[in-house]
Amino acid sequence: AQSVTQPDIHITVSEGASLELRCNYSYGATPYLFWYVQSPGQGLQLLLKYFSGDTLVQGIKGFEAEFKRSQSSFNLRKPSVHWSDAAEYFCAVGFSGGGADGLTFGKGTHLIIQP
Amino acid sequence: NAGVTQTPKFRILKIGQSMTLQCTQDMNHNYMYWYRQDPGMGLKLIYYSVGAGITDKGEVPNGYNVSRSTTEDFPLRLELAAPSQTSVYFCASTVSAPGELFFGEGSRLTVL
């Protein structure tokens, strides 16, 4: 079965510093990869997605992610974080031909921004 | 510009009671999903549907039922509520699978 690992449960970053959130997935087929953000008490909002093509994808709010097939990774980055980036971040994966049963989500990384 | 709408946003149930969480989408998406979110556990799939009249179990279906009589609506029914069903429930939809999921704002359910 497919799985997604987000190894960091919590990450604390100073405002203005750079950020990298890690995501690894299992399974051998071509992945469809997503990063979602969830602010407290809110639903999930898509930050960016990768289906094919350029392995560096740009998203909203200044985020980017890079797909590395050799490492089965899809890490999320931002060069300079803002206090408003404090939230829960979820990596998710689906696979072409994997059925209609939605995406598999990681357990999330809670981002804390220090002033 | 409604997208995916869930009701109610909050509900407290007593053990053994039943209720239905409503979900409707106005994007004409065929695929709809119910997830539950528990602290530190990410999102777990309860049920999904690929179109009106077609539903299937996800990873954690026990204690729940769904129906899909129209493209727009995908209600989730909890029968005989138990404390283990205390969670935040999210409905989502997409035009194709796998694809970007559009989420509702969630329904927070507490069973006491």
Side-chain angles (χ1 to χ4, degrees), chain A residues 15-35:
Chain A
E15 190 169 16
S18 63
L19 170 71
E20 182 170 28
L21 302 183
R22 295 182 290 165
C23 173
N24 292 92
Y25 65 92
S26 67
Y27 205 69
T30 301
Y32 289 52
L33 296 156
F34 306 81
W35 274 100

Side-chain angles (χ1 to χ4, degrees), chain A residues 23 30-37 45-61 63-68 73-77 90-94 103 105, chain B residues 29 93-102:
Chain A
C23 173
T30 301
Y32 289 52
L33 296 156
F34 306 81
W35 274 100
Y36 284 86
V37 61
Q45 180 185 21
L46 182 73
L47 284 176
L48 45 78
K49 61 188 176 186
Y50 171 80
F51 288 178
S52 65
D54 192 345
T55 56
L56 184 63
V57 294
Q58 303 297 320
I60 63 171
K61 304 184 181 186
F63 286 92
E64 66 177 27
E66 186 173 12
F67 170 53
K68 293 185 177 180
S73 69
F74 189 56
N75 294 349
L76 181 71
R77 300 193 294 250
F90 293 95
C91 181
V93 64
L103 306 178
F105 286 81
Chain B
H29 287 170
S93 71
T94 185
V95 66
S96 65
E100 176 188 353
L101 292 178
F102 294 82

Side-chain angles (χ1 to χ4, degrees), chain B:
Chain B
N1 202 26
V4 179
T5 303
Q6 292 181 233
T7 57
K9 286 185 168 42
F10 302 94
R11 182 73 186 268
I12 297 175
L13 281 182
K14 293 182 179 178
I15 295 172
Q17 287 185 321
S18 300
M19 74 160 297
T20 299
L21 299 177
Q22 302 291 345
C23 175
T24 187
Q25 53 92 9
D26 62 359
M27 298 173 283
N28 202 33
H29 287 170
N30 281 328
Y31 299 84
M32 296 189 73
Y33 303 86
W34 275 105
Y35 288 90
R36 60 177 286 170
Q37 181 182 31
D38 301 297
M41 298 303 294
L43 280 76
K44 298 284 179 71
L45 182 65
I46 305 171
Y47 270 96
Y48 67 99
S49 169
V50 301
I54 306 169
T55 62
D56 207 346
K57 296 177 180 178
E59 183 181 359
V60 290
N62 291 344
Y64 307 95
N65 275 301
V66 294
S67 60
R68 184 94 181 271
S69 57
T70 67
T71 299
E72 295 78 20
D73 299 307
F74 189 41
L76 177 72
R77 180 140 181 97
L78 282 70
E79 305 282 1
L80 298 175
S84 61
Q85 293 178 304
T86 294
S87 189
V88 181
Y89 293 85
F90 287 99
C91 180
S93 71
T94 185
V95 66
S96 65
E100 176 188 353
L101 292 178
F102 294 82
F103 284 87
E105 292 189 351
S107 299
R108 182 175 295 274
L109 175 67
T110 301
V111 181
L112 300 174

